[in-house]
Amino acid sequence: MKYIIYVVVVVFAFAKAYSQGPPITADKPIMLGGKSFTMKTLTEIRNTERGTILYTPVMLHYLPTANMLVALHVPYTNYSLNDVNGSGLADMKIMGKYQFYRKDGKAKTFRMVAKTLQTLPTGADIDVMDIATGRYAGYYGVVTGYETIKYGISTEIGYNWMPDGTLDEFRAKLGFGLPLLKPQYPNKQLNLYFEYNSVWLHERDWYQLLYAQGIQYALKTVTFDLAVQLPLIQEIDAGRALNYSVFLGTRYTF
């Protein structure tokens, strides 16, 4: 119950948001105009065989130009695991994106972005992927996206390198977005997201294929995201398997 209360507080703290956001658990190469800021959060409640982890990042994104983005993610985590309990700062992250290809058509666009995510070892060494490992990691990948007024498709493929750990990871994502309402002004949108995440940690011989079902509601300048992620395939130590994750977030652009 305490996790749900905390999530609600965080969501309303960032309640004012910009129209349609990116995929919920994936990413997309569509960027806003240059000289713009976005403050966002996406809380994850991750339930595993090892225990439950609450992860809440505060993310500040800045676009110095229309095809470049830099971001800082400052996350808080609270965890109750079989072998350790605690709370505090998780691993901070610095992200960079560069859009190197763009082709626009009538009511459609295709774009490609080079992406890096640098994870700093500011969190506790509790060996929780993407949240708190206490070790540096560098992710390098390419994000593509095709969007029309009727649907959107995004992909991502990349590699996460952890030189002092065993969480090196090949990552691939595929997402589909389906708007349920016609474009209108003032902005009002209801979007469904269908997202797949493939993770192969070759040093541990672990593999996961995850599916997230999400919904996004946007009214004027307010956007809310909600998604539930479940495992489709898990070849991982039994004590570390994912049961489910719940994502709840919002964003504000200025």
Side-chain angles (χ1 to χ4, degrees), residues 143-162:
V143 182
T144 67
Y146 178 74
E147 287 200 4
T148 74
I149 60 174
K150 295 183 178 180
Y151 63 89
I153 304 173
S154 65
T155 69
E156 180 174 346
I157 186 167
Y159 186 78
N160 192 51
W161 174 58
M162 182 180 287

Side-chain angles (χ1 to χ4, degrees), residues 21-30 40 42 59 61 73 95 97 115 117 139 142-145 147 152-157 171-177 193-198 210-214 216 225 227 229 247 251:
I24 299 172
T25 65
D27 202 351
K28 73 175 184 179
I30 309 300
K40 56 189 293 187
L42 183 63
M59 300 175 276
H61 292 196
H73 298 180
M95 182 170 67
K97 289 183 179 181
K115 173 181 176 181
L117 187 67
Y139 172 79
V142 174
V143 182
T144 67
E147 287 200 4
I153 304 173
S154 65
T155 69
E156 180 174 346
I157 186 167
R171 183 181 304 171
K173 296 184 178 182
L174 174 64
F176 301 93
Y193 286 103
F194 312 84
E195 298 168 356
Y196 298 86
N197 184 11
S198 174
L210 310 177
Y211 172 72
Q213 178 67 68
Q216 180 184 85
D225 296 314
Q229 187 177 64
F247 295 86
R251 74 174 190 164

Side-chain angles (χ1 to χ4, degrees), residues 110-143:
F110 176 76
R111 308 185 192 188
M112 301 181 70
V113 163
K115 173 181 176 181
T116 182
L117 187 67
Q118 302 296 308
T119 300
L120 308 179
T122 54
D125 184 5
I126 59 173
D127 198 44
V128 177
M129 288 186 296
D130 298 323
I131 294 180
T133 64
R135 290 177 170 82
Y136 163 81
Y139 172 79
Y140 308 92
V142 174
V143 182

Side-chain angles (χ1 to χ4, degrees), residues 56-74:
T56 301
V58 176
M59 300 175 276
L60 179 63
H61 292 196
Y62 173 62
L63 282 81
T65 68
N67 62 349
M68 293 183 63
L69 180 148
V70 292
L72 175 65
H73 298 180
V74 181

Side-chain angles (χ1 to χ4, degrees), residues 78-126:
N78 182 290
Y79 47 92
S80 178
L81 305 175
N82 295 337
D83 50 342
V84 62
N85 299 318
S87 62
L89 185 66
D91 293 338
M92 294 175 59
K93 299 178 181 181
I94 300 173
M95 182 170 67
K97 289 183 179 181
Y98 176 70
Q99 181 181 278
F100 61 88
Y101 182 80
R102 174 176 177 172
K103 184 176 182 180
D104 296 329
K106 185 177 180 180
K108 61 185 178 180
T109 184
F110 176 76
R111 308 185 192 188
M112 301 181 70
V113 163
K115 173 181 176 181
T116 182
L117 187 67
Q118 302 296 308
T119 300
L120 308 179
T122 54
D125 184 5
I126 59 173

